[in-house]
């Protein structure tokens, strides 16, 4: 469990650690116009390969695939740290995303291999807490490395931690029985990768291109067409990447949709609340991270408690509903924030939001794993991971559009003295002092309205959860080839 947690930490950190280092990367590598690809390339690759890693793990054994994906991730981290121009860095980030996507989905599936259904909730709670903490800590570490050392250390720091995780995993992980070797579903994997590519490109660059532009419309049409073709393609495949039984399972489909909606709301909070604190309250990047600690505390505490409660399978839907309601309440409270909202009140809002966020991912994944046979654990885990990744990208993109549009609408009459741009909130500091407060109020209001617009997504999630029936599964996981009795991984961790 220690090795798996380290791997999830690295893969999750590399989704966010570069955000505060991007300006320096652009300056050093002379690539301001295309710097957004540094983040988009990792997200695109990690999302696109998730279903394939899951299926290959089912076919060839998850341990060897896990070690391979971790090795790819570490080699790509070296390439990122040594990149001499932007194309090199983007290419290395693609390779890093390929490895990172495998690390995450195979870790979740490995828990299904080595832990009985009753204990999966507690284990998945650990990973959920690590994921949430990484979302907050990542930008802070990126800023520290950039200011004190070099942005290259945002990638090179992966090596010592990753090598330890690799060594422990190679020694401690049991070698589970392989599935039946059969022909790989290359067509299905390609269609899935193309769908992921379209969704990530649309969410990452849709606002820049214009949502009604020919490029965006063409991408939407192509992605919808590919999604419609996916089911018949998988039905004809000998060993589909996404077995039709999984695609037709109400539990899997509803859980994945809930994961998509919850992750959209979660990343809207995690990504933009530090921006609100830095711009409106004038705190540094470090202090904004410290101010987010109540959210992290709520997340970690609720993850831990929900993991223990999830040992009772009958409580899974209750826990999920409680998390969705708490998260919805947190977003509605965040919809009331303004430029004058005090630190104590913000901390309460952050805590409630964190409590809600913490309960959802673990329950969603555990519900799915308990509803499928052991042979499909990897594919089922990949479906949920895929949906959550797309949800994160979607939430960030939609909230960013709402924020920028709302801010521009309320500040279009302000003077452009000194280079103030109504589409860029970071230029508020260039305004004369007499009108700066007006712009700060506008940004706070736009942020609050963004959360109110995102909140209905969780209301839809609550509706889906009401029709979700978690499986009553008590069978033990498939035994590993090692005949020695496995220790309780939770106690060991």
């Amino acid at each position: 469990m220690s090795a798996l947690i380290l791997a999830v930490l690295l893969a999750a950190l590399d989704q966010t650690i570069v955000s505060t280092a991007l300006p320096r990367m652009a300056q050093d590598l002379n690539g301001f116009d295309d710097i957004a690809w540094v983040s988009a390339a990792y997200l695109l690759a990690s999302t696109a390969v998730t279903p394939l890693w899951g299926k290959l793990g089912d076919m060839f054994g998850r341990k060897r695939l896990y070690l391979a994906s971790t090795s790819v991730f570490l080699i790509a981290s070296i390439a990122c740290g040594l990149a001499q121009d932007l194309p090199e860095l983007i290419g290395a980030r693609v390779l890093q995303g390929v490895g990172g996507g495998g690390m995450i989905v195979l870790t979740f599936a490995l828990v299904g291999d080595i832990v009985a259904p009753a204990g999966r909730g507690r284990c998945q709670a650990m990973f959920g807490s690590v994921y949430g903490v990484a979302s907050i800590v990542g930008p802070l570490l990126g800023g520290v490395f950039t200011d004190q050392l070099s942005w290259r250390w945002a990638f090179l720091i992966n090596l010592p931690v990753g090598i330890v995780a690799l060594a422990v995993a190679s020694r401690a992980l049991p070698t589970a029985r392989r599935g039946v070797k059969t022909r790989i579903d290359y067509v299905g994997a390609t269609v899935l990768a193309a769908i992921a590519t379209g969704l990530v490109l649309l969410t990452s660059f849709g606002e820049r291109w214009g949502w009604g532009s020919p490029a965006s419309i063409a991408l939407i049409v192509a992605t919808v067409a590919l999604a419609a073709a996916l089911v018949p393609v998988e039905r004809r495949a000998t060993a589909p990447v996404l077995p039709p039984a999984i695609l037709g399972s109400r539990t899997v489909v509803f859980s994945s949709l809930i994961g998509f909606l919850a992750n959209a709301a979660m990343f809207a909070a995690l990504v933009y609340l530090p921006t609100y604190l830095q711009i409106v309250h004038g705190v540094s990047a470090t202090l904004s991270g410290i101010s987010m600690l109540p959210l992290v505390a709520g997340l970690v505490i609720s993850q831990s408690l929900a993991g223990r409660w999830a040992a009772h399978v009958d409580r899974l839907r209750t826990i999920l509903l409680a998390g969705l309601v708490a998260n919805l309440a947190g977003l509605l409270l965040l919809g009331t924030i303004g430029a004058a909202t005090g630190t104590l009140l913000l901390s309460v809002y952050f805590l409630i939001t964190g409590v809600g966020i913490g309960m959802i991912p673990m329950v969603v994944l555990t519900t799915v794993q308990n509803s499928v046979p052991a042979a499909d654990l990897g594919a089922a885990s990949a479906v949920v991971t895929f949906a959550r990744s797309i949800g994160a990208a979607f939430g960030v993109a939609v909230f960013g559009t709402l924020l920028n549009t709302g801010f521009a609408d309320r500040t279009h009459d302000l003077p452009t003295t000194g280079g103030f741009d109504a589409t860029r909130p970071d230029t508020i500091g260039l305004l004369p002092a007499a009108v700066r407060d007006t712009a700060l109020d506008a940004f706070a209001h736009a942020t609050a309205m963004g959360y109110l617009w995102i909140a209905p997504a969780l209301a839809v999630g609550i509706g889906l959860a009401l029709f979700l029936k978690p499986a009553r599964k008590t069978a033990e996981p498939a035994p590993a080839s090692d005949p020695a009795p496995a220790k309780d991984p939770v106690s060991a961790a």
Side-chain angles (χ1 to χ4, degrees):
M1 289 299 294
S2 299
L4 296 178
I5 287 172
L6 286 175
V8 169
L9 176 63
L10 290 178
L13 276 176
D14 270 75
Q15 291 183 348
T16 59
I17 197 170
V18 301
S19 59
T20 47
L22 287 177
R24 188 69 58 82
M25 292 179 187
Q27 180 179 346
D28 291 351
L29 301 178
N30 193 25
F32 283 95
D33 292 340
D34 298 317
I35 195 63
W37 278 101
V38 175
S39 295
Y42 183 91
L43 179 61
L44 191 155
S46 62
T47 304
V49 301
T50 291
L52 184 58
W53 278 117
K55 184 60 179 180
L56 291 176
D58 288 337
M59 293 172 60
F60 299 106
R62 275 178 272 280
K63 178 178 178 178
R64 58 166 56 186
L65 270 296
Y66 173 83
L67 297 177
S69 63
T70 305
S71 300
V72 170
F73 180 84
L74 294 180
I75 292 171
S77 296
I78 297 174
C80 289
L82 300 179
Q84 298 301 306
D85 56 42
L86 195 59
E88 283 185 21
L89 180 58
I90 292 172
R93 285 285 282 174
V94 170
L95 185 62
Q96 194 181 39
V98 170
M103 289 163 66
I104 291 177
V105 69
L106 291 170
T107 293
F108 293 150
L110 278 165
V111 171
D113 280 339
I114 63 179
V115 183
R120 288 174 186 165
R122 286 189 292 166
C123 295
Q124 301 291 8
M126 296 182 190
F127 299 122
S129 298
V130 169
Y131 218 92
V133 171
S135 300
I136 301 295
V137 174
L140 293 178
L141 286 178
V144 170
F145 287 139
T146 301
D147 292 338
Q148 304 301 325
L149 296 170
S150 167
W151 58 263
R152 298 180 185 276
W153 279 99
F155 304 112
L156 298 178
I157 193 62
N158 293 333
L159 295 181
V161 180
I163 289 172
V164 170
L166 196 62
V168 175
S170 63
R171 182 178 180 85
L173 281 180
T175 304
R177 294 182 300 185
R178 303 179 192 174
V180 178
K181 287 188 177 180
T182 186
R183 187 175 181 180
I184 298 175
D185 179 20
Y186 291 108
V187 176
T190 302
V191 172
L192 266 175
I195 293 172
T197 300
L199 291 172
V200 173
L201 287 176
L202 191 64
T203 53
S204 298
F205 299 101
E207 185 178 6
R208 178 190 294 184
W209 297 338
W211 296 109
S213 66
S216 295
I217 293 175
L219 204 55
I220 293 172
V221 171
T223 303
V224 170
L226 288 167
L230 179 62
V231 173
V233 165
E234 293 300 78
R235 284 177 176 170
R236 288 196 297 269
T238 304
V241 175
L242 294 181
I246 291 179
L247 294 175
S249 168
R250 185 173 72 172
T251 299
V252 174
V253 172
F254 279 23
S255 296
S256 298
L257 288 173
I258 292 171
F260 171 89
L261 296 170
N263 251 35
M266 178 177 112
F267 274 82
L270 294 177
V271 171
Y272 287 101
L273 282 176
T275 304
Y276 159 81
L277 292 168
Q278 291 174 40
I279 291 179
V280 177
H281 291 267
V283 301
S284 65
T286 302
L287 286 178
S288 70
I290 294 174
S291 299
M292 294 286 289
L293 287 179
L295 189 149
V296 176
L299 186 153
V300 173
I301 292 171
S302 66
Q303 281 273 15
S304 177
L305 293 176
R308 292 182 180 276
W309 295 334
H312 305 277
V313 177
D314 292 340
R315 298 183 182 178
L316 281 177
R317 187 171 64 173
T318 303
I319 298 170
L320 180 59
L321 284 169
L324 289 167
V325 170
N327 201 351
L328 176 59
L331 288 185
L332 292 176
L333 290 172
L334 291 175
T336 67
I337 61 177
T341 305
T343 302
L344 179 59
L345 200 56
L346 284 174
S347 297
V348 174
Y349 295 171
F350 292 170
L351 179 64
I352 295 172
T353 304
V355 168
I357 288 174
M359 293 185 183
I360 301 170
M362 173 277 304
V363 177
V364 167
L365 190 57
T366 303
T367 298
V368 169
Q369 289 187 339
N370 288 354
S371 70
V372 299
D376 290 333
L377 269 176
S381 300
V383 171
V384 178
T385 306
F386 181 87
R388 288 168 57 183
S389 297
I390 295 298
F394 183 81
V396 171
V398 169
F399 192 92
T401 299
L402 293 171
L403 177 62
N404 292 334
T405 302
F407 179 70
D409 287 344
R410 296 176 68 89
T411 57
H412 66 276
D413 291 332
L414 294 181
T416 56
T417 305
F420 168 74
D421 184 349
T423 64
R424 293 184 55 193
D426 59 322
T427 60
I428 289 177
L430 302 175
L431 282 167
V435 295
R436 192 177 304 151
D437 289 345
T438 301
L440 292 176
D441 286 334
F443 184 77
H445 182 270
T447 303
M449 290 304 297
Y451 289 116
L452 291 179
W453 279 107
I454 291 289
L458 290 177
V460 173
I462 292 172
L464 292 172
L466 290 173
F467 294 95
L468 190 64
K469 294 182 178 180
R472 297 177 58 85
K473 182 174 180 180
T474 57
E476 295 296 319
S481 61
D482 184 358
K487 296 180 181 179
D488 178 9
V490 178
S491 301

